[in-house]
Amino acid sequence: MFKKILIANRGEIALRIIRACKEMNIRTVAVFSDADEESLHVKSADEAVNIGPSLSRKSYLNKDKIIQAAKNTGAEAIHPGYGFLSESDSFAGACSDNNIIFIGPPKDALAMAGNKSEARKVLIRLGIPVIPGSDDLVSSPEEAATIAKKVGYPVIIKASRGGGGRGMRIAHNAKDLTEVFSIASGEAGATFGNPDIYIEKYIIKPRHIEIQILGDQYGNYVYLGERECSIQKRYQKLIEESPSPCIDKDLREKMGTAAIKVARAVGYSNAGTIEFLLDGNRNYYFMEVNARLQVEHPVTELVTGIDLVWQQIRIAAGEKLPFTQKNITQRGWAIECRINAADPDDNFMPCPGVIEELTLPDGPGVRVDTHIYRNYEVSPFYDSLIGKLIVLGEDRNMAIRRMQRALSEFRVEGIKVTVPFHAKVLQDKNFISGDIDTHFIDKFETAK
Ligand code: MV4
């Protein structure tokens, strides 16, 4: 096992990883930017290294600085958390060039996950359900029009190097398509440094369901059930839960098996998520591979009892999975609210500033993953996520009541936070009945 790990991240996830390391008797190295000098991850790690100015590009995204910090402190492995360098195949490559273990999937699996049209092509060959569309890249508006005519409008054009909702354009008819085609490819080139695009039929009102998997370096895989992530706004998830109200044992098994097939096909190991869309008839379609530990991983941890960060570290150190599929069970219902320093009345505009008063929820079935404290200053330089409130109940109804209770205990003063917004969603009758899809928040906001 590793003796020392560097955590190439900040905020709540850096703390989450440091906690797992402490439990495993592994020493920790934090890295931090100028803006994060007073951050908890810096104080709770055994060592901390300043890696530069506040701008992410100059610190948390600076590969050389981070690798140098690992070498100088003698860290044998780097945990990238989520965001920043977590899905960078070139960073994973740089780690291995420097004899440092990247705690995540192999470089080639990262590259495959980052190339959506290539992944799609491989999975079509394997018989994994993908949304009807192009089998490969689409290179002209004429080709796009032919495919659109075959699968039917509306269609969606996606950047091959995009993901998470970035670089997508919808076309409702042939006239739209010509226009949207050049916009989409121009955007893809400008945003992702690669103009490649592909096309799919646009699924109206899908549910977003993702399957958590773990794979060791010896070809053993398990799936840890699903997470329902449909409650989102502009691709930013607000609430996640596990299990999903619309998945039964049979569908879970089918999607879980498909997810493992995807992972195996791309040579995946470590923790990963296979994202699917579910249409109104509960047909599932592969969307993308999220090649990292995800923000919402705690809901899976609470219902399976498996610590995903422990497993990530064990896998990276070359250990075999300590369980097989039949050992994995889900018990109870978990819900997570992402708490942001943002204003729901102003399009979730970030609201950085000093936290003047703070009371965090506690009590039965409540977990709070956060890096904030009284007098902490939420920086404008980074994502506005200030914490995650996660509850576990015996069933969905109990989890909802527990979340309502926990939200009512959550008190932050000095900055605007999304707690009151979450409290309203948790009272919504469609949410309570489990009638949710990716358009839920839009409807919820217009109904107000
Ligand atoms: C789609 C889609 C409908 N049809 N693809 C957005 C994030 C990215 N992972 C894929 N996304 C979508 N792809 C087809 N063919 C609808 C979405 C989508 C969505 C997906 C997941 C979660 C929230 C979403 C919100 C709007 C649209």
Side-chain angles (χ1 to χ4, degrees), residues 22 42 57-58 78 85 94 121 134 144 163-164 169 247 289 298 339 342 387 407 417 439:
K22 283 186 178 164
V42 175
R57 197 162 40 77
K58 305 209 158 181
I78 296 181
L85 297 171
K121 204 159 74 181
S134 53
R169 288 278 171 159
I247 306 274
V289 176
I339 311 299
L407 285 165
V417 297
H439 296 263

Side-chain angles (χ1 to χ4, degrees), residues 4-165:
K4 197 188 266 189
I5 290 177
L6 181 144
I7 295 95
N9 215 301
R10 63 178 302 282
E12 67 86 19
I13 196 63
L15 275 180
R16 164 73 189 90
I17 297 161
I18 290 168
R19 286 185 167 126
C21 290
K22 283 186 178 164
E23 291 162 6
M24 298 175 82
N25 279 322
I26 298 167
R27 291 182 60 79
T28 50
V29 181
V31 293
F32 64 100
S33 67
D34 292 344
D36 275 335
E37 255 168 40
E38 300 298 319
S39 287
L40 273 189
H41 76 283
V42 175
K43 292 175 190 161
S44 66
D46 295 306
E47 293 167 68
V49 181
N50 182 310
I51 50 165
S54 305
L55 274 181
S56 301
R57 197 162 40 77
K58 305 209 158 181
S59 49
Y60 297 106
L61 288 172
N62 189 330
K63 299 169 192 170
D64 295 337
K65 277 263 181 71
I66 291 168
I67 289 191
Q68 200 53 54
K71 286 171 124 175
N72 291 348
T73 54
E76 307 140 270
I78 296 181
H79 196 308
Y82 54 68
F84 295 128
L85 297 171
S86 60
E87 294 178 272
S88 163
D89 59 327
S90 73
F91 183 62
C95 287
S96 79
D97 292 346
N98 286 280
N99 285 318
I100 297 164
I101 290 180
F102 176 81
I103 303 177
K107 180 175 187 281
D108 294 346
L110 280 170
M112 185 63 110
N115 188 339
K116 315 288 163 194
S117 64
E118 194 59 31
R120 193 178 141 88
K121 204 159 74 181
V122 170
L123 301 183
I124 291 171
R125 264 190 254 132
L126 275 172
I128 303 285
V130 300
I131 297 173
S134 53
D135 291 343
D136 209 329
L137 298 174
V138 178
S139 50
S140 70
E142 293 75 28
E143 194 186 343
T146 311
I147 296 163
K149 206 167 171 191
K150 197 173 78 191
V151 301
Y153 286 94
V155 293
I156 184 165
I157 299 180
K158 296 184 175 181
S160 186
R161 307 300 163 110

